[in-house]
Every structure is written in C-alpha cells, then in structure tokens.
Amino acid sequence: MKIQKSFSEPYDNGVLYIVPTPIGNLEDITIRALRILKEADLILAEDTRNTGKLLHHFEIKKPFLSYHEHNKLERREAILAKLADGEKLALVSDAGMPGISDPGYDIVNSVIEEDVPVIVLPGASAALCALVGSGLPTEQFYFYGFLPRKKKDRDDALERLKKQDSTIILYESPYRLSDTLSDLLESLGDRQISIARELTKKFEEFTRGALSDVAKWAEDRTFKGECCIVLEGQAWTEEENWWDPLTLKEHVERIAAIEDISSKEAIKVVAKERKIPKREVYQAYHTD
C-alpha cells in the first residue's frame, strides 16, 4: 500500500503535474494550469505541434518532449531520470485530461512506482461535458472510451455494455460514428442517446433522441471532430428477470463474462439474483 501525502508548493524535488488543456475553447484553461506550464522545466506533449499552438497563444516558451502511444516505452526512463534530478514536468494531451483514452496512464503509474509526487490539476473533460449536456441520468455513469476495432473484441465489449444499467459514455471517430451507432442498436437495442460533437467550439452540436432514429439520421452524413456518445443504461423492472431462459450454469457464465469476475464470485451473484441457496447454484454449475 502506498500513501502519498500532499505538500505545499513549490516543490523542492521532482514532480509530475497532470495538466488538462481546453477541448476547444481556449478560455477554458485555468489560471493554475497556465502557471504550472510557465514554471515547468519540461512539457510532455502528445503532439508537440498542437501543444505548441496552445503555448504560443498564451505566450509561454518552454521546451517539449513528445510522449505518445508509439514512444511511451522508450521515453519512460528519460522522464524518470529527469524527475529523479529534481525537474518539474507537466504532462498534457492534445485536449482534455491526460490519461483518459491516451497513454498518460502508463507514465503516471511508472512515476508513482518511483515514489515521485503526481499532482493532478482539474480541468476540461469532453466526457463530463457530454454527459451533463445529454439530458440522461448523471447519478451513475460508466465511461468506456473507444470501442475495440476487432470484431470479436468489439462484440465482447458490446455484450458487457448490454447489461450496464448506468449511463454509458463512449468516444468515437467521426469516420466510424454511423457504423458504431448501427452496432449499438443491433447489440443493445433501442434506447435514448445523445451525441456531442465539437464541444466548446463554434459549431458545438448535441444530437439527442432514440438510438434507432439517430442511427438512421447518421447513415448518409459526413461528420467532423471526435464524437462523444452518451447512451441510456439498460432499465430493469422488478418483474423482469433477464436470466429466466438461462440454466443456472449459463447464468453463472454470463455473469462472469459481463462483470469480468471469477466463477466463484459469479455463483454468489446468481444465488442472490435468483434468491436461492449458493450451494444449489454451485452444484448445478459443476454438474450441468
């Protein structure tokens, strides 16, 4: 177990700052984020060209080091060495919060393992903007990010999402939006959906409605800008027992796959859902 205590700034030793950047409107950057970018010894950028435009706008001149999915392993040791030397590094992504659907997770994990402070600044997030603007329930939500490209992995992911009763948040490329909406409709059935595009920009757009209607609307359209899909979770009533057609063994296997848990844990869940003794489920699972 690791416990990292908070310290008052400025730091005397190395520190990694996670600095969110605007997802569109540059006015959304925080005063603290600007200060950290000015004070950092080095900025780790997903795309130095995009970050260069941002810093130029705010008249900040700092050295860059590219850090992205394709060079994260070779950059790791250099970054850790700079932190060990007491440098203050700022990690940014192209837009939004580093670590969300980008390789920021890997370096954060590595830095934590070296007992170097990781300070996360609050800031812009496309997922949360899209969620709040969707009009769908916000009490509980499940962020998935980008669906897999490979069919088998994609089908497995959709099967897990099918039983998710919280509001679901997905990211998608504008070039794959129509196909993804069709896949969602086929796998998850019709439900309410909201698609947010060009968030915080001049042509920000929310499209809301039934998934069947939105999927049809998107068929022959061309889109620009990454899309954030917010989808209504699966609604169950007390009378609905989705598992009625399944044998006990099938029920256990389905729960294990959906919730990504062991058969032992799935047996407990099935016993609770069906309100029957756990030993009855155990025997059926191991003898069916």
Side-chain angles (χ1 to χ4, degrees):
M1 181 176 69
K2 289 182 178 292
I3 298 176
Q4 182 189 98
K5 295 182 180 296
S6 296
F7 300 92
S8 298
E9 294 182 281
Y11 288 85
D12 295 326
N13 299 312
V15 58
L16 176 65
Y17 288 99
I18 309 301
V19 183
T21 53
I23 58 177
N25 193 320
L26 295 182
E27 293 180 358
D28 293 333
I29 199 163
T30 68
I31 295 173
R32 186 183 178 200
L34 290 174
R35 176 175 65 81
I36 295 301
L37 291 174
K38 291 175 182 177
E39 294 177 357
D41 296 305
L42 180 70
I43 295 174
L44 308 176
E46 184 177 6
D47 187 324
T48 55
R49 294 167 299 178
N50 289 338
T51 303
K53 293 175 185 178
L54 174 71
L55 297 191
H56 176 74
H57 179 84
F58 290 107
E59 300 181 346
I60 299 173
K61 295 182 179 180
K62 286 290 174 179
F64 293 108
L65 182 67
S66 65
Y67 178 80
H68 48 71
E69 184 65 35
H70 305 294
N71 71 0
K72 61 185 181 182
L73 295 179
E74 64 187 78
R75 292 288 197 226
R76 178 181 179 275
E77 294 306 318
I79 292 170
L80 294 178
K82 289 180 179 297
L83 291 169
D85 287 340
E87 292 192 27
K88 298 169 178 57
L89 309 186
L91 174 67
V92 301
S93 66
D94 284 350
M97 177 66 78
I100 303 297
S101 291
D102 77 23
Y105 159 78
D106 298 279
I107 195 61
V108 168
N109 187 52
S110 296
V111 172
I112 289 173
E113 287 299 315
E114 297 297 321
D115 290 326
V116 174
V118 174
I119 309 301
V120 183
L121 277 61
S125 167
L128 292 181
C129 288
L131 171 66
V132 174
S134 70
L136 294 170
T138 59
E139 292 84 0
Q140 298 181 39
F141 57 90
Y142 180 80
F143 174 78
Y144 187 90
F146 289 95
L147 287 168
R149 297 279 194 91
K150 294 181 179 178
K151 187 178 187 307
K152 182 182 184 304
D153 295 338
R154 192 178 182 88
D155 290 345
D156 289 344
L158 290 170
E159 182 64 27
R160 293 194 298 272
L161 290 175
K162 185 175 182 179
K163 304 304 179 183
Q164 179 61 245
D165 57 5
S166 301
T167 300
I168 301 165
I169 306 174
L170 303 170
Y171 285 160
E172 190 51 277
S173 159
Y175 309 110
R176 295 189 296 272
L177 179 61
S178 181
D179 289 340
T180 293
L181 293 176
S182 297
D183 289 345
L184 289 171
L185 181 60
E186 180 180 350
S187 298
L188 278 65
D190 208 6
R191 55 181 76 182
Q192 290 299 302
I193 190 174
S194 171
I195 302 173
R197 296 191 305 109
E198 300 287 86
L199 284 169
T200 78
K201 299 178 183 178
K202 182 178 180 180
F203 298 106
E204 175 178 287
E205 177 183 88
F206 279 85
T207 303
R208 308 178 182 93
L211 176 54
S212 55
D213 293 334
V214 175
K216 186 175 182 180
W217 165 83
E219 282 179 357
D220 300 317
R221 293 179 181 268
T222 300
F223 300 97
K224 292 183 178 180
E226 282 192 358
C227 306
C228 194
I229 299 171
V230 183
L231 192 64
E232 180 184 22
Q234 177 64 62
W236 301 107
T237 66
E238 291 184 2
E239 291 75 27
E240 288 176 312
N241 293 328
W242 61 268
W243 34 260
D244 275 343
L246 304 180
T247 65
L248 286 173
K249 184 173 183 178
E250 290 171 340
H251 191 176
V252 171
E253 291 172 343
R254 184 71 62 84
I255 290 294
I258 292 172
E259 301 189 12
D260 193 21
I261 57 178
S262 67
S263 59
K264 182 179 179 181
E265 292 300 315
I267 286 171
K268 295 179 184 178
V269 174
V270 170
K272 185 175 181 180
E273 285 188 347
R274 297 206 180 210
K275 298 178 181 179
I276 60 177
K278 187 172 65 175
R279 64 177 179 276
E280 182 178 337
V281 182
Y282 178 89
Q283 291 171 352
Y285 178 76
H286 288 283
T287 58
D288 255 7

